[in-house]
């Protein structure tokens, strides 16, 4: 393949289609009669301190500065605030000169893929089940997406991982807590992944980068330490987003950072910024950049999601469904009784339950239930799930 050959993704997203279907059904029969679990749109309000800080910024900042361009990689003070915050929180060293303030995690992932995938033999490894956009981004750049099978409880099958790494592997993407399963990779899992990769880097004699995609890092319900990747593996990058942790999904704010210990960290960082520039990306909202240093320590009330998880998990397991117990994010992965997720999704619609099949996430036989919904939707859906289970 030449560099100019792209695979355009013209397929409509199954998730979006189901989301649109649920929206239409709500217009037809009323919101309260549709149990829409399709999409990961946060439904816990942004902390009031965020809005207060925004108002204060608008009132007290010179409007020319407030609404003007910032440097492409972000305002230097904001980059510094991110570096200090991360270094302190995870007892690591982050260089502000290696922080790129981005419009959420999505562009951070795209820039990373574009800088590390350069020809059709280049491979990117993901762990199934995985966020479907990874595939679209890698294919668009002309690379190959390689999925590792899940082992027990959606922890990666490490043997399969070892076998799937080869001299063409350029990047491994991890995502914990995970969309769609809600699985959390604790330190033991991170150590297994990084030990394997360190061996393989030695064997092939070139860096194999890890991108840790962390939009759900602060939506961790388990009282466990988050193993920050820069403390375990040198050739690493982190994509973070305030979309979920501060319910700012529509505002588009997050960052990409390169581990200062990464191979040619400065060269890689410069390449990331150039790629952003070449893709027509000119920094992100200055207003939300200036907001960041004031709100970085805050997060939404994650107890709301945790309670939704607990009620939904109890309801579904009492009915008889086989459900994976998620430790973070706001998704539940449920096994489909006869193994055919597409058929199950169609059947569920008859009970006005809208869930998404697991196939776009790289595994079959499950559905994803996004439980970032009203409490009433969780509680009132029990009867419909019961009928669906019994096939009434
Ligand atoms: N990565 C994962 C795993 C996600 O689930 C999402 C959004 O749902 C993103 C990245 C992108 O998030 P954003 O671009 O809003 O920061």
């Amino acid at each position: 393949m030449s560099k100019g050959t792209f695979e355009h993704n013209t397929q409509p997203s199954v998730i979006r289609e189901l989301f649109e279907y649920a929206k239409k059904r709500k217009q037809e029969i009323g919101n309260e009669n549709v149990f829409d679990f399709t999409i990961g749109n946060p439904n816990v309000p942004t902390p009031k301190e965020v809005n207060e800080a925004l108002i204060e910024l608008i009132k007290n900042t010179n409007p020319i500065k407030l609404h003007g361009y910032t440097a492409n990689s972000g305002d230097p003070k904001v980059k510094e605030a991110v570096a200090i915050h991360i270094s302190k929180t995870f007892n690591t060293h982050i260089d502000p000169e290696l922080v790129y303030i981005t419009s959420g995690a999505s562009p951070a992932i795209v820039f990373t893929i574009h800088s590390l995938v350069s020809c059709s033999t280049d491979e990117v490894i993901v762990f199934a089940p995985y966020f479907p956009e990874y595939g679209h981004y890698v294919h668009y750049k002309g690379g190959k997406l390689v999925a590792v099978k899940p082992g027990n409880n959606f922890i990666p099958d490490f043997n399969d991982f070892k076998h799937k790494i080869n001299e063409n592997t350029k990047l491994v993407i991890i995502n914990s807590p995970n969309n769609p399963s809600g699985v959390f990779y604790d330190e033991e899992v991170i150590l297994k992944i990084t030990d394997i990769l360190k061996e393989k880097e030695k064997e092939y004699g070139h860096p194999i980068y890890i991108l840790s995609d962390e939009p759900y890092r602060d939506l961790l319900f388990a009282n466990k330490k988050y193993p920050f990747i820069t403390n375990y593996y040198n050739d690493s990058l982190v994509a973070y987003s305030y979309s979920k942790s501060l319910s700012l999904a529509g505002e588009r704010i997050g960052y990409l950072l390169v581990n200062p210990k990464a191979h040619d960290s400065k060269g890689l960082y410069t390449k990331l910024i150039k790629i952003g520039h070449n893709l027509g990306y000119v920094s992100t909202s200055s207003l939300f950049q200036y907001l960041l240093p004031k709100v970085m320590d805050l997060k939404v009330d994650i107890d709301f999601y945790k309670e939704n998880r607990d009620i939904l998990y109890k309801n579904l397991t009492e009915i008889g469904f086989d459900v994976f117990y998620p430790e973070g994010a706001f998704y539940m992965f449920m096994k489909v009784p006869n193994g055919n997720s597409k058929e199950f999704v169609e059947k569920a619609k008859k009970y006005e339950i809208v869930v998404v099949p697991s196939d776009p996430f790289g595994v079959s036989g499950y559905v994803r239930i996004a439980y970032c919904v009203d409490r009433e939707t969780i509680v009132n859906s029990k009867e419909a799930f019961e009928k669906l289970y019994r096939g009434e």
Side-chain angles (χ1 to χ4, degrees), residues 19-303:
F19 170 65
E20 291 302 326
Y21 168 83
K23 207 158 87 184
K24 194 167 140 266
R25 267 321 265 157
K26 284 181 202 169
Q27 281 160 3
E28 285 164 0
I29 62 168
N31 282 352
E32 68 287 4
N33 297 315
V34 182
F35 307 112
D36 175 10
F37 296 106
T38 52
I39 208 153
N41 209 359
N43 78 321
V44 168
T46 303
K48 71 174 187 345
E49 293 86 344
V50 171
N51 289 339
E52 285 165 3
L54 267 175
I55 292 166
E56 204 187 292
L57 261 178
I58 293 170
K59 275 191 185 151
N60 300 328
T61 318
N62 174 341
I64 304 294
K65 178 187 174 202
L66 187 63
H67 303 300
Y69 287 119
T70 66
N72 264 1
S73 63
D75 178 76
K77 287 211 170 79
V78 179
K79 288 161 55 170
E80 194 182 343
V82 168
I84 293 171
H85 177 78
I86 294 297
S87 303
K88 245 180 26 202
T89 309
F90 297 106
N91 194 20
T92 190
H93 167 65
I94 299 301
D95 179 353
E97 295 301 318
L98 298 177
V99 174
Y100 187 176
I101 308 293
T102 56
S103 303
S106 303
I109 304 164
V110 171
F111 300 159
T112 307
I113 290 169
H114 279 241
S115 33
L116 297 175
V117 172
S118 54
C119 60
S120 63
T121 49
D122 285 349
E123 298 186 6
V124 177
I125 292 186
V126 293
F127 298 102
Y130 57 84
F131 183 50
E133 302 298 328
Y134 300 151
H136 301 152
Y137 301 155
V138 172
H139 293 148
Y140 188 75
K141 189 66 205 325
K144 189 172 162 202
L145 189 85
V146 176
V148 171
K149 287 193 299 208
N152 282 344
N153 292 326
F154 298 112
I155 297 298
D157 177 329
F158 297 110
N159 265 334
D160 191 44
F161 180 41
K162 263 185 223 160
H163 285 115
K164 293 215 161 122
I165 306 167
N166 61 48
E167 68 266 21
N168 297 319
T169 309
K170 295 288 152 63
L171 173 68
V172 174
I173 303 179
I174 56 177
N175 167 227
S176 162
N178 173 264
N179 174 10
S181 69
V183 68
F184 166 65
Y185 293 173
D186 63 15
E187 186 173 49
E188 202 185 320
V189 175
I190 294 299
L191 280 170
K192 282 201 178 132
I193 292 174
T194 52
D195 282 352
I196 292 170
L197 277 177
K198 282 176 194 168
E199 282 297 310
K200 294 287 180 182
E201 279 197 326
K202 259 192 236 148
E203 185 180 336
Y204 297 118
H206 64 75
I208 303 175
Y209 291 91
I210 289 183
L211 172 67
S212 183
D213 175 27
E214 308 182 353
Y216 305 99
R217 185 174 76 212
D218 290 305
L219 270 60
L220 174 63
F221 312 131
N223 192 14
K224 290 183 180 169
K225 164 183 153 185
Y226 192 91
F228 200 72
I229 197 67
T230 58
N231 290 332
Y232 299 86
Y233 192 70
N234 288 350
D235 290 324
S236 54
L237 302 94
V238 173
Y240 184 77
S241 165
Y242 295 90
S243 291
K244 323 283 171 166
S245 62
L246 285 178
S247 288
L248 290 176
E251 306 298 354
R252 314 307 305 142
I253 184 91
Y255 56 81
L256 173 64
L257 60 85
V258 179
N259 186 348
K261 288 182 276 178
H263 174 86
D264 189 25
S265 58
K266 290 217 154 55
L268 175 59
Y269 180 78
T270 307
K271 197 169 173 192
L272 289 164
I273 306 289
K274 276 198 184 135
I275 280 166
H277 181 202
N278 290 342
L279 290 173
Y281 176 87
V282 184
S283 63
T284 191
S285 157
S286 49
L287 176 61
F288 279 84
Q289 287 192 55
Y290 298 135
L291 174 75
L292 275 195
K294 301 176 191 299
V295 300
M296 251 170 216
D297 288 321
L298 300 172
K299 62 179 174 179
V300 292
D301 172 18
I302 70 162
D303 284 346

